[in-house]
Amino acid sequence: MRVAMISVHTSPLEQPGTGDAGGMNVYVLELSRALVRRGAEVEIYTRATSSAQPKAVDAEPGIKVVHIPAGPFEGLDKNDLPGQLCAFAAGVLRAEAHRPEDWYDVVHAHYWLSGQVGWLATERWDVPLVHSMHTMARVKNAALAPGDRPEPMVRIVGEEQVVAEADALVASTEQEADDLTSWYGAERSRVHVVPPGVDTQLFSPLPEAAGGRAVLRERLGLPAGRDVVLFAGRIQLLKGPDVLVRALSAWPAGRRRPLLVVLGGASGTRTAVRELEALAWQEGVSDDVLVRPAVPQDELAGWFRAADLVAVPSHNESFGLVAAEALASGTPVVAAAVGGLRTVVADGESGALVPGHDPARWARTLADLLADEQRRARMARAARASAARFSWDHAAGEMLQVYEAARRRHADSRGVPGPVNIA
């Protein structure tokens, strides 16, 4: 099966945790890898962000990344990209034009911008459109962080159009499937729940060895004998790192504050990192906050293992890949009780779910867990087991079935004989 993946605003080759790169980058790349292991060929179309980028890169055997020029290479915010969709779509069609007819079997678009391009491409190529929302404007606007800007109407209308036109919609959780039907009126028969996976070979617990964590922490430059709470992700209001900084200032009296490590880069505004550091200074906890740039996946696994707790205080998450990767690494997760995090984190078993974003409540939850080593050890054991539910190979198998369902629906809509199953 030949699959055209479309990821307009962020490339799977970019470093997750910076700019617009995040869990979706990991999702697109890891799903593509798993599809290739099952015999598929994948080409990923993404916007070129540098004149030095080659037109196409063979990222791995079976996976090609195609860079499409659309607008200025640099300086475009994600909110500016709707004005470049026509140029991007033209570039995609031009790149495919030299291919034989019926080259692709399916188009899988990620995020609403890609869905708009995929809609046009599938009409031109007469193939089915499969779409993954990843986040939804209506859901996000209903749970905005204080001070955050709501998503614009152009996105809401764009999402509604893609939901109406896609042959299949992919949700990561049952909650996301419900959101698609309740917020966007999606036909439930076209919504397929396919949980993302986790690379459990890369994200695995620290081996049982004398001094293992101490050695790891020394290598990472972390202080010995101090509790460590880790936040990994883009530094933006949606992800809630400010909640953790404020929680430190609301820490229960008589208990030593942990070191809060923030791994990530600015997103949405280039001053986000400085603003977070300024907030720590205003709250009087600068000495308790360590901000470091985002790191590659293999290094991130080490940070997860070194932490006592991983905190995910997002205001909205369609799934929560960071939480799943942390659990696979054997580290309990304290997460906001929102979206897909309620599926990933088993409250009281592999971690704790915190209702709302009140800093004092977050402080109490974190402090109580850090003070109870036996409880954390039980959670750590349950964490690894719970993450085993999420497999990229299983996700790829389910996705191939979604592609076949989309092909059947597409053929039926045109009154032609259905395709032969090639999954």
Side-chain angles (χ1 to χ4, degrees):
M1 177 174 282
R2 293 192 181 104
V3 182
M5 293 269 189
I6 301 181
S7 179
V8 171
H9 77 284
T10 180
S11 168
L13 302 180
E14 293 178 2
Q15 170 61 57
T18 59
D20 291 321
M24 195 179 99
N25 296 63
V26 177
Y27 183 108
V28 171
L29 182 57
E30 293 297 336
L31 175 62
S32 297
R33 285 170 170 166
L35 288 170
V36 168
R37 288 195 292 269
R38 288 177 172 263
E41 296 177 22
V42 180
E43 292 189 352
I44 304 169
Y45 291 93
T46 189
R47 194 178 78 87
T49 55
S50 169
S51 60
Q53 288 175 323
K55 290 183 178 179
V57 177
D58 289 320
E60 296 179 14
I63 302 175
K64 178 179 288 185
V65 177
V66 183
H67 297 112
I68 303 294
F73 289 116
E74 299 176 357
L76 274 187
D77 184 81
K78 184 168 66 174
N79 291 329
D80 299 325
L81 293 181
Q84 300 303 325
L85 292 183
C86 182
F88 187 91
V92 170
L93 296 178
R94 192 178 302 117
E96 189 271 349
H98 70 283
R99 294 278 177 66
E101 191 176 354
D102 299 327
W103 180 259
Y104 293 118
D105 295 296
V106 65
V107 171
H108 189 169
H110 300 268
Y111 194 66
W112 79 275
L113 294 169
S114 305
Q116 289 281 313
V117 175
W119 177 17
L120 176 61
T122 53
E123 286 291 322
R124 178 72 171 269
W125 299 337
D126 194 20
V127 296
L129 173 63
V130 175
H131 184 67
S132 295
M133 297 289 277
H134 292 280
T135 62
M136 287 174 264
R138 290 187 184 277
V139 177
K140 182 179 177 181
N141 287 349
L144 278 181
D148 205 357
R149 292 182 300 175
E151 292 298 309
M153 183 56 67
V154 64
R155 176 179 173 183
I156 294 174
V157 173
E159 288 177 341
E160 291 173 340
Q161 292 171 333
V162 174
V163 167
E165 295 297 328
D167 295 285
L169 296 160
V170 179
S172 293
T173 64
E174 290 290 345
Q175 177 63 58
E176 187 181 0
D178 291 342
D179 289 339
L180 279 166
T181 57
S182 61
W183 289 95
Y184 289 86
E187 296 177 24
R188 191 61 179 85
S189 62
R190 290 188 295 121
V191 181
H192 306 262
V193 178
V194 181
V198 175
D199 185 343
T200 53
Q201 291 187 327
L202 177 60
F203 295 100
S204 59
L206 191 67
E208 295 290 340
R213 175 171 284 185
V215 171
L216 178 57
R217 286 191 172 184
E218 183 179 3
R219 179 169 61 82
L220 295 173
L222 295 173
R226 187 173 184 187
D227 293 331
V228 174
V229 175
L230 176 67
F231 169 93
R234 288 169 290 163
I235 299 178
Q236 59 178 183
L237 290 173
L238 174 67
K239 299 296 182 180
D242 58 299
V243 174
L244 300 177
V245 172
R246 290 189 169 92
L248 291 178
S249 67
W251 208 253
R255 299 193 191 182
R256 186 186 181 189
R257 295 189 189 112
L259 177 66
L260 171 62
V261 177
V262 177
L263 286 183
S267 178
T269 169
R270 296 180 180 179
T271 63
V273 175
R274 293 200 299 272
E275 290 171 359
L276 188 69
E277 292 174 332
L279 176 63
W281 181 82
Q282 293 167 3
E283 297 289 337
V285 295
S286 291
D287 292 340
D288 304 307
V289 179
L290 179 67
V291 181
R292 289 287 182 267
V295 298
Q297 292 289 92
D298 56 344
E299 295 182 33
L300 180 59
W303 283 95
F304 284 149
R305 297 181 192 117
D308 294 288
L309 294 172
V310 170
V312 187
S314 303
H315 290 264
N316 178 247
E317 288 284 354
S318 59
F319 180 67
L321 196 56
V322 164
E325 291 170 345
L327 293 175
S329 303
T331 303
V333 173
V334 178
V338 299
L341 290 171
R342 290 176 292 186
T343 298
V344 175
V345 180
D347 189 29
E349 297 179 18
S350 60
L353 292 173
V354 183
H357 295 83
D358 175 51
R361 172 173 259 173
W362 274 83
R364 289 193 302 272
T365 301
L366 291 166
D368 288 347
L369 271 176
L370 290 173
D372 194 337
E373 188 172 350
Q374 290 186 345
R375 186 180 176 204
R376 286 204 323 276
R378 289 195 300 270
M379 285 183 169
R381 291 191 292 271
R384 172 64 176 176
S386 69
R389 297 174 291 160
F390 306 115
S391 159
W392 283 116
D393 284 325
H394 180 73
E398 293 286 308
M399 199 66 74
L400 286 171
Q401 293 183 38
V402 174
Y403 294 166
E404 288 297 342
R407 295 175 77 225
R408 289 192 296 270
R409 184 182 184 92
H410 182 78
D412 290 345
S413 69
R414 281 152 176 74
V416 299
V420 177
N421 189 312
I422 60 174

